[in-house]
Amino acid sequence: MDLQDQLKKLFPEHEPETPENVDDGSDIWLQDDPIICKYEKRKGKPITILEGYNGATEDFKLLAKELKTKLSVGGSFKDDKIIIQGDYRDKIMQILKEKGFNVKRVGG
């Protein structure tokens, strides 16, 4: 006898609630303007910079963390920009498009 059966015996009139509108997508705010994805070299090393997000800063930080973990790379969040170590423009653009963002590739 599992917990559900025990609860049914204790409370026979109770009907379990069903969750409403379960959203499997991300709760990050989407914007109309595209996010700029550009490539630079600093001190001879390639980096990818994402800028142009006009939502909440916390959402952009969460997006930065998610990108870094999916790509298994280092990076940082400074001055409303996400800086990813290495040239990952194609992969980042694909991930952002899957999330529903408009992305514009700039440079190289």
Side-chain angles (χ1 to χ4, degrees), residues 56-106:
T57 305
E58 291 300 317
D59 287 346
F60 207 41
K61 286 182 181 180
L62 287 173
L63 183 63
K65 185 174 182 178
E66 185 176 340
L67 287 173
K68 291 189 297 184
T69 55
K70 279 190 178 181
L71 297 172
S72 300
V73 295
S76 64
F77 178 84
K78 294 181 182 176
D79 302 327
D80 295 331
K81 296 179 185 177
I82 297 175
I83 301 170
I84 303 289
Q85 296 173 357
D87 184 11
Y88 291 99
R89 286 177 292 178
D90 296 329
K91 292 180 182 178
I92 290 173
M93 288 176 65
Q94 180 181 0
I95 292 170
L96 291 176
K97 284 180 182 178
E98 288 172 2
K99 289 187 162 292
F101 286 102
N102 293 328
V103 185
K104 185 174 181 182
R105 184 178 177 142
V106 175

Side-chain angles (χ1 to χ4, degrees), residues 27-54:
D27 58 349
I28 296 176
W29 182 76
L30 300 177
Q31 63 183 20
D32 297 330
D33 297 334
I35 293 178
I36 307 297
C37 182
K38 61 184 176 178
Y39 169 79
E40 285 186 11
K41 277 195 171 183
R42 293 186 181 173
K43 297 183 182 178
K45 299 188 180 191
I47 61 169
T48 304
I49 300 174
L50 297 172
E51 60 185 15
Y53 184 76
N54 55 12

Side-chain angles (χ1 to χ4, degrees), residues 2-14:
D2 64 341
L3 183 62
Q4 292 293 331
D5 293 333
Q6 291 175 2
L7 287 173
K8 285 179 185 177
K9 284 185 179 182
L10 288 173
F11 305 103
E13 301 89 27
H14 178 71

Side-chain angles (χ1 to χ4, degrees), residues 17-32:
E17 295 180 11
T18 57
E20 297 177 6
N21 297 335
V22 177
D23 186 17
D24 293 334
S26 175
D27 58 349
I28 296 176
W29 182 76
L30 300 177
Q31 63 183 20
D32 297 330

